[in-house]
Amino acid sequence: MNIKNIQNIAKLYGEQSKVSKNCKGQGGNPAQRPDEVILSTHAQELNQVLKTAKGLPEVREDKVKELSEQIAKGEYKVDSRELADRIIAYSKNERLY
């Protein structure tokens, strides 16, 4: 392998090293700005919805109490067809509700 003008390449490399060191010593290139993230309106709205959802309780106490009372009274009924449809839809990643 024959590299021509090796002296010119070495000279350019040396000059580049000097420029890099000077920039580091002066706090970097003043024209450089810090990284910035700009979120779309849709992303901002989604973020707000997620914050609201995180503030909600994990367990809906009123619903649990209602269902517990129905079970205790023997009034809780399960629609087997609807249950089967939801199981199938879940397995297909569909939503029926």
Side-chain angles (χ1 to χ4, degrees), residues 12 14 25-26 30 32-33 36 41 58 62 64 66 85 87:
L12 289 173
Q26 297 172 358
Q32 287 181 334
R33 296 185 332 199
E36 183 178 351
T41 304
E58 257 185 70
D62 58 330
V64 171
E66 178 187 334
D85 288 342
I87 291 172

Side-chain angles (χ1 to χ4, degrees), residues 78-96:
V78 177
D79 181 357
S80 58
R81 176 151 320 269
E82 182 181 351
L83 177 61
D85 288 342
R86 286 187 181 218
I87 291 172
I88 292 168
Y90 181 79
S91 70
K92 292 181 177 180
N93 286 331
E94 296 176 2
R95 297 206 173 164
L96 294 179

Side-chain angles (χ1 to χ4, degrees), residues 17-68:
S17 295
K18 288 178 187 176
V19 170
S20 294
K21 288 178 184 176
N22 286 340
C23 285
K24 288 179 185 175
Q26 297 172 358
N29 186 351
Q32 287 181 334
R33 296 185 332 199
D35 292 340
E36 183 178 351
V37 175
I38 300 173
L39 299 176
S40 68
T41 304
H42 181 72
Q44 292 173 3
E45 290 172 359
L46 180 60
N47 188 34
Q48 187 62 37
V49 169
L50 289 174
K51 283 182 182 178
T52 302
K54 285 181 181 179
L56 297 174
E58 257 185 70
V59 178
R60 293 174 44 194
E61 297 293 335
D62 58 330
K63 190 70 170 174
V64 171
K65 183 179 176 184
E66 178 187 334
L67 292 173
S68 296

